[in-house]
Structure formats: C-alpha cells, structure tokens
Amino acid sequence: MDFAKMIKKILNTKLLLIYTATALIFPMYQETPAQRNKTRTKKTVAAAVPKPVAPTIGYTISMSKPWTHLLEVEMRFNYGRTKSLVSLPNESGEYIELKMPVWTPGSYLIREYARHVESFSAKDASGTDLTWRKTNKNTWQIDTKGAKEIVARYNVYANELTVRTSELNDEHAFISPAALLLFPKDQLNAPSTVKVVPFGNWKVATGLPKVENQTNTFRAENYDVLYDSPFEVSDFKEISFDVQSKPHRFVVTGEGNYDLPKIARDTAKIIEAAYKIFGDLPYDDYLFILNTRGGGGLEHLNSTALQFNRFNFTTRYKDFLNLVAHEFFHLWNVKRIKPDALGPFDYENENYTRLLWFAEGGTAYYESVLLRRADLITADEFTTARETQMLALQNRPGRFETSLEDASFDAWIKYYRPDDNAINNQISYYDKGELVNFLLDVEIRKASNGAKSLDDVMRHLYTEFAKKNKNYSPEDLQKACELMAGKSLNDFFEKYVRGTVEIDYNAILSGIGLRFSTGETENKSAYLGANLRQDGDKLIVASLPKETPAYEQGLNSGDQIVAVDGNRASQTFLSSYLSEKRPADRIKLTVFRFDALREIEVTLGGRAKQDFQITAIENPSEDNRRLYREFLGAELK
Ligand SMILES: [Zn+2]
C-alpha cells in the first residue's frame, strides 16, 4: 500500500490511539533502519494526539580549557516515563546503555569515535555514583539502581580538524556531533536539546533550531537530525543573505585571502541555479560553516561544513565554488533523495549501498552544472573538466577491475584507504561517477531530443521518493532515467554502471555534436610508467600501473630511485633524461629497496602522447547544435 494512503487510513480510524499506545509500550528493539523510517513517519503524523512519550535528553557541551582539546559533555537522560523502553534486566537489577557512533553519515568509513572518550562517570539526579562498565568498544552500560534520571559526564579529546571529526583549540571549536554525543540504545527517534557553553566570548553557529528564551540551546527532533548538525564555536566572521526569501549565512573561522561579500554573491547564484531545478528550498534557513584550514566538505540537512586553504581563495577560487556547489546540492541528492541504505542510519555498522556513484558522482557532476548555469564558469571550462576526468580514468587500469556499483559498495574498505595498488584495482565513484553522470545526461537529452535531462531524473526522485519519505534503489534510479529517456538504458547501465567495459565516449557525445579524441600520434616516446613522488631530495616510486615497463620489470612501490645510468636521480632529471631516449632503449636504475641498494635494468616502452580533447564533430547538424546550446548555454564551435 502506498504509505501516504496508509497514514490517512490510520488517521481515519479509532485505531490510532491503540496504535500510539502500542508504539509506546513496545520499544524499538532490533528494528531495522527501514522499520525505523516508518516509525518516524508515523510519529510525525501522530503529533496531534496525546504527546508522544520520549525520554528527556539534554546535553551540555563545555570547553573550559580549549588548549587541552577536551570537550566536556554532560548528558542528562530522564527516562522515567519510558522506563520499560530502555531498561533491561541483568543480574544486578536494571541498566541502560549509552553508545557512541562509529561513523558519521556522508563519510563512509568506520572511524571509532569512542576511542577519544575519557573520564566517563555516571550519577543519579542526587549526585550518587552509579556503577558502569564498557560492554563493547562503543557501549557504556550503567546500573540504574532505580534512578529515573541518569547524568553521564565524559570528555572527548578533539584535536583533529576534518569535516567528520571535532577540533577544539584556542582558535575555535568545530563539533561533529556523531563524534561527541552518546545516544541511548534503541532511542534514535528521541528528541534532545544541546546547550553549548562557549569559551570566553565565542559565538555559536549550527543548523539546529534554537530553543526559545534559552541561551545557546538548540533542539534536534531525533538523532539523525542531531548527528547531522555540526557546530562552529568561535569569534567567527559572518555574512547573511537571502535567496528566495530564505535566510542563508556564512560563518568563517580563520584568516585568509577570501572576499566574503563576493563569496556570498556567488553562493547566492549557485543556490538560485539549484532552486530552478527543484522549485523549492526545503529548509527554513541554511548555514555554511567555513574553516580556512584543512580541506573538503560534508553535507548536512540545512548546513554544511567546508574547509579550504586560507591562501587559495584567489588562485583556486573556482575550486572553492565547486566545493560550495557540491555540498549545497547534496541537500537534495543524498540528504533528501536517499539511496536505499542511507537513512535512517545504523550508527554502529557499515551502511552498504551501490548508489554512491549517483549520490556522490552525480553531485560532483552538478558542481559544474550549477556553476555553468550561474555563469561562474564558461562552456569551455565545463568541457575541460570532463577532459581531465577522462584522462585520469583512461590511465587507471582499475577501470577494468571495479564497476561503479562495486566501488560504491566497497567504499567502507577502499575509497578512504587507498593504497599503492588502488590504481590497478579501484576506480573512484566520484571521478568515474561524475563522468558517467555527465554521459547519462547527454544520453537522456539525445534520446528525448532535448525534452528531458538529468534534471528531470533528479526532480522525479525528489517528488516520487524524497517527498514521500521513501529511499530509492538502483532499479528505481535506472527506471527514472529510462522514463526520461523514453527508452531502455539497460545497455548503458550494464556496461558503465554495473560493468567495467571501456567507455565508448564518441557514441554518446556525438549526439550533442561533440567528439572525444586522444590526440595520440604515430610517434611514440620512451616511457617507464612508474608514478613517482619527490619526497625532499628522495625520488620515490609511489605506484605502478599494470602493464607498464616499470611494473612488468620489477620496480616496487616504495623503491627510492637513487641514480639513473649513474646520474643522480630527481623527478625533473628523469623526465628530461627519458625524453632523449627511444622506445626499447635500456636504462639502469639504482634503487634503495628497504635499506639495501640494488640495480634494476629496465627496457623502456613506447607510448603515444596522450592529449585528451573534446571538440566539435565535423559538420554538426542543427539538432546537434540545438542540443548543445540547451545543454551548455553556448554555441557549438
Ligand atoms: Zn559529496
């Protein structure tokens, strides 16, 4: 049954009260995330009936000595009215269990946040100590001794500035809630409040709504929302602006060569471009948290955490705008348009999905789409970005080993932990994903003669899944694409999404009047094929793509190349030396392998110069020209 219909039916019967009561008596033990999703929807609908009983959970986060990097947490957990939901019998009576997430959504790696917890204590409301024990890596079990309220206190060492960890120092606190706040077992639907006690005169910014008449106190309707709302606490600079009558705010911690009014103006253009795709901005307000150290971004429901190097805001400004566009677009693609396994979340285990190539790769593709539509990049810059991706993919032997779906599924063990063999057995669901989403867009435009595009797929997923609080599956995605293309795309998905077939770029690009050329010539130059890294004055073999002379003739990653034919080796020397050689010439490499010196003779290979280019086909038709114009807002040249 359609879920909305089911809710209506429930509302129209007197069964509602019985249902509500049942939901209160029976806890959410052993619920799957999917079941939890349904429960959560029902709860929202049931808001008009007697108040849902949930434990009162209040956190206070303090930072009295920022230089120690210790965030101090007090968690008050009053479960009096829901005691039956949370206590379990054990030998000594009753206990509750508090748990720390092992990962945070958006960054698909088990990070074991519990390892930074220290000085844990538990008391009842009158201050009497309660005994506790750890029962696994991330669970604290507390004997309640009949207490209705438990006060747990602990510190978390926070000295790592990334978008998915926390950092506290004399400059600021960036708080990733999943890395700081314990949750009571089986209570992920419970609402909570967070009071932040800043150091000195620091200010507090978060996407969570404020609790009225309480200083720096915020509320979260459930743990998915709480863990999705980072905090920045500092003497930050800020700028506010409205787009479509909704307030947006940038808060920036750290010095840098940024121009905040310009950032706000350009960000507003990006937001407008995204708004035009979906027709609404599904939040009350939106917060951009920017730190000018570290790197990267993490998407959230109505906020994002961005980190960008302080002195790159002029030379790499477009990269910064790409980052802004990426994280902002995620508020639809992944935060609301949710792949099967991504929300409600299981915070204690991996959440497997085959859809990251669309959730991440599609979002990466829309960076360029939004920037182009906002006129922040040119059509040529748009295609140059595709050329760069093609060059990178075509130089990865791993493209024959791992499909986009498999790379998505294995993100948990591979993407965040690349090793020296990654080039041979992996692809990035971001990079190839971006490329394949681009090709999918072209394919849909071509098949529908310009009537539809990937925008329509996004809109379809938004209205048919996100707004109906349903997650989508790989099959749903393919169907949505086929609906827009008006034909089967099974061949495309089989080859490029589920398979590892070499991409036939020209077969797809020709539809919009473009062709892809490798620029390869008959003249081959000598090459070794090892990827090298200059580490101070040491020249190190970083990785070895399969089937290259270096790979086949015995170089190892980690080898330090000391000399080439008796000459001191450096990256610049080696490339100029090789440019004088011919294919099949032999060279002698002197290398340190571990701590022993050895000599390796290598017969050089021959390789044509790669110069990947996207250019116009000869004699494009009027249809080609029109499709190109509609796509990139420029004339085909
Ligand atoms: Zn992303």
Side-chain angles (χ1 to χ4, degrees):
M1 188 188 289
D2 179 297
F3 197 67
K5 279 186 204 153
M6 190 168 87
I7 295 293
K8 269 188 198 157
K9 199 174 164 192
I10 291 172
L11 282 170
N12 289 337
T13 66
K14 290 177 185 172
L15 286 175
L16 180 59
L17 280 177
I18 298 167
Y19 164 73
T20 311
T22 311
L24 297 179
I25 293 160
F26 293 101
M28 290 148 213
Y29 296 140
Q30 287 105 34
E31 251 187 353
T32 65
Q35 286 168 325
R36 206 146 56 71
N37 195 13
K38 291 187 178 175
T39 314
R40 208 166 278 172
T41 315
K42 287 170 192 162
K43 213 173 107 182
T44 313
V45 175
V49 297
K51 245 186 171 178
V53 177
T56 313
I57 302 170
Y59 298 93
T60 304
I61 304 171
S62 310
M63 49 199 78
S64 60
K65 295 178 182 173
W67 50 90
T68 64
H69 316 294
L70 290 174
L71 286 163
E72 303 138 34
V73 181
E74 179 193 276
M75 177 186 181
R76 285 187 175 267
F77 177 42
N78 189 324
Y79 63 95
R81 292 167 64 199
T82 58
K83 191 173 162 197
S84 61
L85 300 192
V86 294
S87 60
L88 293 169
N90 68 352
E91 284 171 15
S92 61
E94 292 174 327
Y95 57 75
I96 61 159
E97 290 184 332
L98 303 180
K99 289 170 169 288
M100 183 65 97
V102 304
W103 73 291
T104 196
S107 186
Y108 308 100
L109 179 70
I110 299 297
R111 293 186 188 275
E112 312 294 20
Y113 296 125
R115 74 189 197 277
H116 293 306
V117 175
E118 55 187 63
S119 306
F120 185 90
S121 72
K123 296 180 191 300
D124 64 16
S126 68
T128 306
D129 281 326
L130 298 173
T131 52
W132 59 272
R133 63 203 66 78
K134 279 195 78 175
T135 55
N136 70 16
K137 64 183 181 180
N138 66 317
T139 306
W140 284 257
Q141 187 184 68
I142 302 164
D143 295 333
T144 59
K145 297 268 170 55
K148 298 283 185 281
E149 185 177 48
I150 305 294
V151 184
R153 291 191 180 84
Y154 57 95
N155 295 339
V156 170
Y157 183 72
N159 195 21
E160 186 183 4
L161 184 67
T162 73
V163 292
R164 51 319 231 212
T165 51
S166 300
E167 182 182 71
L168 170 66
N169 57 30
D170 58 11
E171 182 186 51
H172 79 139
F174 173 75
I175 296 169
S176 178
L180 183 70
L181 303 176
L182 300 173
F183 66 91
K185 180 174 187 276
D186 298 320
Q187 293 296 317
L188 287 170
N189 282 309
S192 59
T193 62
V194 181
K195 180 182 170 65
V196 179
V197 182
F199 176 74
N201 59 355
W202 288 356
K203 300 172 282 184
V204 182
T206 178
L208 289 177
K210 276 187 175 160
V211 176
E212 274 183 35
N213 304 321
Q214 290 189 43
T215 314
N216 292 329
T217 307
F218 308 88
R219 63 187 154 78
E221 61 192 83
N222 59 50
Y223 275 88
D224 280 351
V225 172
L226 178 65
Y227 289 151
D228 201 34
S229 305
F231 293 78
E232 176 68 21
V233 189
S234 78
D235 186 20
F236 46 71
K237 295 190 180 71
E238 60 184 305
I239 190 166
S240 297
F241 54 99
D242 283 2
V243 181
Q244 296 293 329
S245 309
K246 298 255 171 108
H248 298 72
R249 182 158 78 127
F250 251 96
V251 303
V252 190
T253 301
E255 294 305 314
N257 58 352
Y258 55 83
D259 177 344
L260 203 46
K262 181 174 167 53
I263 287 176
R265 281 195 303 277
D266 291 341
T267 300
K269 290 179 194 167
I270 291 168
I271 296 169
E272 284 285 0
Y275 168 81
K276 280 181 188 150
I277 297 172
F278 294 100
D280 68 0
L281 297 176
Y283 47 76
D284 294 333
D285 50 64
Y286 192 95
L287 171 70
F288 296 88
I289 294 172
L290 172 61
N291 279 278
T292 61
R293 285 187 294 121
L298 197 65
E299 66 276 9
H300 300 288
L301 273 169
N302 68 327
S303 65
T304 179
L306 308 171
Q307 296 175 0
F308 198 76
N309 186 286
R310 59 186 62 192
F311 296 121
N312 284 349
F313 286 93
T314 52
T315 51
R316 290 183 51 209
Y317 184 60
K318 284 179 185 173
D319 291 345
F320 174 69
L321 293 181
N322 270 307
L323 180 65
V324 170
H326 182 104
E327 304 309 337
F328 186 76
F329 193 76
H330 263 317
L331 81 87
W332 287 279
N333 194 25
V334 98
K335 297 303 331 178
R336 287 172 176 80
I337 300 171
K338 290 185 284 198
D340 38 24
L342 298 184
F345 297 104
D346 176 348
Y347 292 97
E348 297 190 83
N349 297 286
E350 291 85 350
N351 293 220
Y352 292 103
T353 177
R354 297 189 181 277
L355 285 161
L356 291 180
W357 72 272
F358 188 74
E360 284 300 346
T363 301
Y365 170 57
Y366 268 86
E367 292 169 27
S368 298
V369 171
L370 295 179
L371 259 56
R372 176 66 202 117
R373 290 183 191 163
D375 211 17
L376 293 164
I377 58 169
T378 63
D380 285 346
E381 284 173 312
F382 182 96
T383 41
T384 302
R386 311 284 83 81
E387 289 165 0
T388 309
Q389 279 155 8
M390 288 171 176
L391 180 66
L393 181 66
Q394 297 308 117
N395 279 294
R396 281 193 87 86
R399 71 188 187 282
F400 298 119
E401 201 65 41
T402 301
S403 71
L404 279 174
E405 284 202 349
D406 291 344
S408 302
F409 192 82
D410 275 345
W412 296 92
I413 55 167
K414 290 181 178 169
Y415 180 76
Y416 292 90
R417 291 174 177 157
D419 57 22
D420 57 300
N421 196 43
I423 195 165
N424 289 324
N425 72 357
Q426 294 175 44
I427 46 113
S428 155
Y429 51 79
Y430 282 89
D431 297 345
K432 186 181 174 186
E434 181 170 349
L435 204 47
V436 167
N437 276 281
F438 159 64
L439 297 170
L440 188 55
D441 196 4
V442 173
E443 194 72 5
I444 293 169
R445 286 167 184 272
K446 199 171 66 177
S448 66
N449 196 23
K452 301 286 180 188
S453 72
L454 202 58
D455 285 2
D456 294 280
V457 174
M458 289 290 173
R459 274 192 288 271
H460 177 84
L461 293 174
Y462 184 49
T463 48
E464 296 305 314
F465 291 86
K467 287 188 172 176
K468 295 177 179 172
N469 203 19
K470 288 194 291 188
N471 296 27
Y472 71 96
S473 66
E475 295 73 29
D476 295 326
L477 174 60
Q478 185 176 331
K479 269 187 217 155
C481 294
E482 290 174 338
L483 182 67
M484 299 314 156
K487 68 165 197 180
S488 167
L489 293 174
N490 200 48
D491 191 49
F492 184 100
F493 276 80
E494 270 300 309
K495 284 179 175 166
Y496 306 145
V497 175
R498 295 186 284 274
T500 56
V501 177
E502 189 81 302
I503 297 176
D504 185 354
Y505 297 106
N506 284 330
I508 298 167
L509 292 180
S510 60
I512 54 166
L514 294 176
R515 65 187 290 271
F516 163 72
S517 64
T518 60
E520 287 188 9
T521 56
E522 294 297 305
N523 297 331
K524 295 189 170 180
S525 50
Y527 90 116
L528 179 62
N531 292 325
L532 304 172
R533 176 180 83 232
Q534 187 76 48
D535 188 358
D537 59 358
K538 292 179 182 170
L539 183 61
I540 308 289
V541 177
S543 65
L544 293 155
K546 275 179 188 168
E547 294 174 14
T548 58
Y551 177 90
E552 297 295 343
Q553 294 173 61
L555 246 66
N556 281 6
S557 59
D559 284 351
Q560 179 194 345
I561 303 178
V562 183
V564 188
D565 290 339
N567 303 291
R568 183 198 292 268
S570 70
Q571 201 148 18
T572 40
F573 173 78
L574 190 61
S575 64
S576 65
Y577 191 70
L578 288 181
S579 70
E580 298 296 319
K581 294 284 173 188
R582 319 241 349 127
D585 282 356
R586 289 176 73 75
I587 57 169
K588 188 160 55 180
L589 299 174
T590 310
V591 307
F592 269 119
R593 178 166 299 167
F594 309 120
D595 291 325
L597 204 59
R598 64 166 74 193
E599 289 192 333
I600 299 171
E601 282 208 56
V602 178
T603 302
L604 296 171
R607 184 170 63 176
K609 188 172 178 291
Q610 291 177 305
D611 183 17
F612 289 19
Q613 280 196 326
I614 298 175
T615 52
I617 55 174
E618 279 178 34
N619 305 316
S621 67
E622 268 316 302
D623 277 350
N624 291 154
R625 289 184 181 283
R626 176 177 50 81
L627 288 173
Y628 180 90
R629 193 184 311 118
E630 288 167 3
F631 183 25
L632 290 178
E635 293 301 323
L636 183 61
K637 298 188 287 243

